[in-house]
Amino acid sequence: MSAPAAQGRRPTVQVEGAGGWRVTLETMGVPEGGARATVLTVPASKHERDAWGPMLTAALVERGVAVVSMDVRGRGDSREPRSMTSLPPGQLRGVHVDVAAAIEHLATAGPSAGPVIVMCEQDTADPALRAVQGDRRVTGVVMVSPKFAPSTLRTVFDRPVAMCVLASKEDRAGLESACAMYGRSTHAASRFRLVGDVGSGTTMFAAWQYLRTGERTLEQWLAAWVAAAIGPDPSKKGS
């Protein structure tokens, strides 16, 4: 189920997760003429839904992809019934129910009838991947500095899933998880990128822009991967 949330500059809805949580989704951008896929961005537990930034949205919309961002339980507009700082140990694992509810909403009432790509970062990569694992409407997952529990690393997928993994040298825990998960991918479109000296998570985006002026941004690289993973746009000649 979904219901309108507080009005803002962009449309938002709330979807029902579990345990009384109502998680907010915000439509960040939709291409003119319609979208051929939707990216759902999932922030880390210390971030809110705007953590992925407008440059990523612009790069995806330019490639015909809609962007919807969600707050994880306890963050942003999803702080009821409890804020993230007051959650008991293990509560973050329940985020997989919230991500699953968001995917269900996008599949039935989202801005595109096409596939869903899930982007996740750091500690929410684990529950997000659990939600993705059994849902064939999700054709790809982007993981930025991901951290996984050993049980998740042993997950057996029921189909090949395209993975795009971005990790940094200085984030050792994230790098180990990223390598372990990428090593299990059998999808031809899967890609791994290792960067250095830019921190971890979505904060890498701003650091990269500051340190690598004039180079293609990490947001542009991720958007290009998404476009390649969903295939050519049939509306464009020569595609």
Side-chain angles (χ1 to χ4, degrees), residues 51-56 197-198 202-220:
W52 294 87
M55 290 187 66
L56 178 64
D197 303 318
V198 289
T202 55
T203 57
M204 290 194 292
F205 299 163
W208 182 274
Q209 293 166 31
Y210 177 75
L211 295 170
R212 306 292 182 92
T213 303
E215 295 186 29
R216 184 167 71 157
T217 67
L218 296 178
E219 294 99 323
Q220 290 169 335

Side-chain angles (χ1 to χ4, degrees), residues 5 26 52 54 57 88 91 109 113 132 138 154 156 158 160 172 177 199 239:
E26 181 175 4
W52 294 87
T57 295
Q91 182 65 45
V132 166
V138 179
R154 294 192 296 269
V156 177
D158 61 353
R172 184 166 182 174
S177 278
S239 62

Side-chain angles (χ1 to χ4, degrees), residues 11 35 104 133 144 148 180 200:
E104 180 65 28
Q133 188 263 337
V144 178
F148 297 109
S200 62

Side-chain angles (χ1 to χ4, degrees), residues 11-58:
T12 61
V13 298
Q14 286 188 321
V15 297
E16 295 183 8
W21 295 99
R22 294 184 64 80
V23 180
T24 298
L25 306 180
E26 181 175 4
T27 301
M28 310 302 286
V30 179
E32 292 185 11
R36 56 197 185 107
T38 301
V39 160
L40 171 67
T41 62
V42 185
S45 66
K46 293 182 179 180
H47 294 164
E48 297 184 3
R49 65 179 183 268
D50 61 356
W52 294 87
M55 290 187 66
L56 178 64
T57 295

Side-chain angles (χ1 to χ4, degrees), residues 109-130:
S112 168
V116 175
I117 306 286
V118 174
M119 287 192 176
C120 50
E121 61 156 340
Q122 297 181 310
D123 56 358
T124 57
D126 188 299
L129 197 67
R130 292 177 62 201

